[in-house]
Amino acid sequence: MTKKSVTKFLKKNYEGWLFNLPLAIGLLLFTAIPVGTSLYYSFFETDGFTYTFVGLDNYIKIFTRDRSIWQVVKNTLAFAMISIPLNLSLSYLLAQLVNQTRKGVKTFRLLYYLPVIIPLVVGGLLWKDLYDPTYGIFNRILELIGLDPFPFFFQASTSMFSIILMNVWGIGGGMILWLAAFKNIPKTMYESANLDGANAFQRFWHITIPLSTPMIFFNVVTSIIGTLQYNGTLTFAPREGRGVDDSLYMYAVKIYWEAFHRGQIGYGSALAWLLLIVCAIITILLFKKSKWVFYGEDI
Amino acid sequence: MTTMEKAVCRDNNRARRQKKYVAFLIYALMALIAVILVFPYFYMVMKSLMTSEEVVGPVRFFPSVPQWVNYLSLFTESEYLQATLNSLYVIGFNIIAVPLSASLIAFSFAKLQWKGKKMMFAIMMATMMLPATVTQIPLFIMYSKMGWIDTLYPFTIPNLFGGGAFYIFLIRQFMMGIPRDMTDAAKIDGASTFRIFWNIMIPLCKPVLIYLMVTIFINYWGDFYGPLLYMSSSEAPRTLAYLIFLKSTEANAATQMAHMRMAGGVFMTLIPAVLFLIFQKQLIEGVTLTGSKG
């Protein structure tokens, strides 16, 4: 490039780049360099001070020598595969219930949304207390009506059930999304379906579901990626977030544990990079396979 | 009245009665769900008003005498007050820095023509799916080398650069919807690009900027994980969310001081709840904007 064309390029484009400069600097310093460094660390055995090159050994270790990894993967997948569809369908039912113009419905919607507003760490504090084996109110109530105490988080076999139940508490978030999806469906569609004699299930299956697919799709993608990175168990699960017998040990907590507790920076980075690859594959697959998503005429 | 009319009348009555019955059932169901969903929070409020004996004593739902003094001692115990101030400092910084820098960037995407725009936009959107854990480990090492560990810098300085793809994307979407002639008229009058940005675009973007500020407030108010990574030593400044995290994960957390912990939890929920009540329209519209259009 000659000097002249450089000045010409700058003259034409400097304003855009100037306004964009914060992003360019920020992406470089706080995203690109860390992502690269993370990949670099993953090939070393390191505590951040001394580095020993081990090649792909950290990645091989994940699949062959890590004793807790399969439990962690199993927990994370079970949590995602039960919790996401369960909350999606329950919040649909809830949205249907409050999708009407009766008096006071708005207040009920607000009440249902309250648990979503409560900060994660307060939710953890709260549920840890509710589920406590001796002082928790749930077990006190069970005791009052003459039932045996339920161990909740304090037994491996009931932990997953307990966390899924706890997660249902936040269905108000899904409810809001469903309500918005309903709002975008023209009323005339239901009216003409009624004239044709469609029953409630047919209206649900042939109108509500197809026209809500952008919302369902978005919700599923963000929920899957969110669940893979879920670290909320740190706030309430026994054994510093890992649960009894690792029964609540989730992938993101595993990364935290390896890198920050045990100082295995290299191994933690390898786990994080594996997560990055999985998230990328899921995103690409879902967007490629998203032909069933119906965007209507506006897109 | 003919028999026919009587029959119609009877049918109408029956339909009306049936309608009332259905309405009653719907309200009962809605109330039941509300009781179930609100109970945990209600119980936390009640527990926060009990004495230290009542929280560990036999089961009870209400305190015998509400101990409002619990909330008072929350703030005479200076750690909660200091933690609240630290949280507010971080929030105060970000609530200005993020909308400002994010809208500069969004403006370059929405209203300016320049080479490299498409590439920068694609890179930015790709960072949205990047798991935060990938950058956290190297950032920890980087911050240690810079002497930022156990300071508030990791929660302020990085946010001078737009504060994340999501915020920038939201403002950009909003700016795209502002008609061209608004800026064209100013351009003819000879206004500089920065003046167009500052005097025309920013005031027009008020709704989305308010949404951003409230979201930023709620996010930083509740962030316990950042402090856990970057400010976990005992000399480090505490934020409120992290203080509550520490209190709830203490070894003897189940029995001791449960009432005080609950008071802390209730206090911590108060501000987001008030913000939500004030801005519920914008917040729900924002959720649905990001949710239904993807």
Side-chain angles (χ1 to χ4, degrees), chain A residues 13 15 17 20 22 34 38 102-103 110 112-113 117-118 125-126 128-129 132 135 140 169 180 218 256 276 298, chain B residues 27 30 37 40-41 47 57-59 108 114-115 120 130 138 161 193 248 254-255 262 276 288 290-291 293:
Chain A
N13 298 299
E15 264 184 340
W17 278 103
N20 202 263
S38 178
R102 284 173 206 279
K103 239 187 183 169
L110 266 185
Y112 299 161
Y113 197 71
I117 305 166
I118 292 175
L125 170 84
L126 177 55
K128 196 178 175 188
D129 185 77
D132 191 84
Y135 298 98
R140 292 300 192 77
W169 192 47
F218 175 80
Y256 167 76
L276 170 69
D298 60 340
Chain B
Y27 275 109
M30 288 198 297
L37 288 181
Y41 192 71
K47 218 167 172 177
V59 59
S108 77
W114 45 287
K115 271 209 176 100
M120 285 305 286
L130 186 74
F161 305 99
T193 312
S248 93
T255 49
M262 292 298 156
F276 180 78
T288 54
T290 56
K293 289 287 176 204

Side-chain angles (χ1 to χ4, degrees), chain A residues 156-183:
Chain A
S157 58
T158 52
S159 292
M160 190 51 73
F161 165 79
S162 306
I163 193 178
I164 287 165
L165 182 70
M166 174 181 161
N167 220 29
V168 168
W169 192 47
I171 52 173
M175 174 195 75
I176 295 284
L177 289 179
W178 276 114
L179 284 173
F182 294 163
K183 230 183 181 176

Side-chain angles (χ1 to χ4, degrees), chain A residues 94 97-98 104-115 118 127 168-172 175, chain B residues 25-43:
Chain A
L94 192 63
L97 184 66
V98 295
V105 165
K106 276 196 174 152
T107 316
F108 282 110
R109 282 188 208 162
L110 266 185
L111 288 176
Y112 299 161
Y113 197 71
L114 179 75
I118 292 175
W127 281 86
V168 168
W169 192 47
I171 52 173
M175 174 195 75
Chain B
L25 273 183
I26 286 175
Y27 275 109
L29 187 61
M30 288 198 297
L32 180 71
I33 295 171
V35 167
I36 293 171
L37 288 181
V38 174
F39 174 77
Y41 192 71
F42 160 81
Y43 185 62

Side-chain angles (χ1 to χ4, degrees), chain A residues 245-299:
Chain A
D245 295 336
D246 288 347
S247 56
L248 291 173
Y249 202 1
M250 302 286 173
Y251 197 86
V253 177
K254 168 94 180 160
I255 297 175
Y256 167 76
W257 192 263
E258 294 292 345
F260 292 95
H261 255 254
R262 305 182 58 196
Q264 308 243 30
I265 298 289
Y267 189 54
S269 300
L271 285 165
W273 254 85
L274 189 66
L275 179 67
L276 170 69
I277 294 165
V278 170
C279 282
I281 291 173
I282 291 175
T283 316
I284 292 167
L285 273 184
L286 281 173
F287 275 95
K288 277 241 162 101
K289 295 262 173 215
S290 66
K291 291 220 177 76
W292 53 277
V293 178
F294 178 76
Y295 283 106
E297 278 101 329
D298 60 340
I299 291 173

Side-chain angles (χ1 to χ4, degrees), chain B residues 10-205:
Chain B
R10 204 168 48 230
D11 269 4
N12 272 348
N13 269 341
R14 193 191 290 154
R16 213 176 300 144
R17 232 179 310 140
Q18 216 166 14
K19 232 179 180 176
K20 256 189 179 167
Y21 187 65
V22 168
F24 174 76
L25 273 183
I26 286 175
Y27 275 109
L29 187 61
M30 288 198 297
L32 180 71
I33 295 171
V35 167
I36 293 171
L37 288 181
V38 174
F39 174 77
Y41 192 71
F42 160 81
Y43 185 62
M44 177 160 85
V45 175
M46 286 304 128
K47 218 167 172 177
S48 76
L49 294 171
M50 292 181 190
T51 64
S52 56
E53 289 84 36
E54 280 172 330
V55 277
V56 291
V59 59
R60 53 157 68 235
F61 293 101
F62 299 97
S64 52
V65 182
Q67 302 291 315
W68 298 106
V69 68
N70 290 349
Y71 285 88
L72 201 68
S73 40
L74 205 60
F75 288 96
T76 43
E77 252 186 77
S78 61
E79 51 173 353
Y80 274 98
L81 185 64
Q82 188 56 50
T84 307
L85 292 177
N86 287 336
S87 285
L88 289 178
Y89 167 77
V90 169
I91 290 167
F93 182 93
N94 288 321
I95 224 171
I96 310 273
V98 174
L100 216 59
S101 55
S103 44
L104 275 171
I105 299 162
F107 181 69
S108 77
F109 283 134
K111 294 287 165 193
L112 299 177
Q113 304 305 325
W114 45 287
K115 271 209 176 100
K117 178 162 96 165
K118 277 203 174 131
M119 178 193 73
M120 285 305 286
F121 190 69
I123 295 174
M124 182 188 83
M125 293 310 281
T127 64
M128 271 217 227
M129 53 120 307
L130 186 74
T133 40
V134 177
T135 53
Q136 272 155 356
I137 297 169
L139 283 178
F140 176 81
I141 308 242
M142 191 172 115
Y143 293 156
S144 340
K145 283 179 185 152
M146 291 157 76
W148 281 15
I149 294 299
D150 295 340
T151 70
L152 292 170
Y153 292 129
F155 306 96
T156 51
I157 306 298
N159 293 322
L160 288 170
F161 305 99
F166 176 69
Y167 297 134
I168 300 166
F169 177 70
L170 273 190
I171 307 181
R172 180 241 185 204
Q173 292 301 89
F174 193 90
M175 284 181 173
M176 298 282 272
I178 296 174
R180 265 199 91 93
D181 18 321
M182 305 285 277
T183 49
D184 280 351
K187 222 182 247 169
I188 291 165
D189 290 346
S192 70
T193 312
F194 184 78
R195 277 196 61 137
I196 292 175
F197 165 73
W198 189 251
N199 291 352
I200 299 176
M201 294 307 271
I202 290 287
L204 286 172
C205 283

Side-chain angles (χ1 to χ4, degrees), chain A residues 194-205:
Chain A
N194 274 343
L195 284 179
D196 292 343
N199 62 29
F201 179 76
Q202 285 168 327
R203 287 197 302 268
F204 164 73
W205 194 248

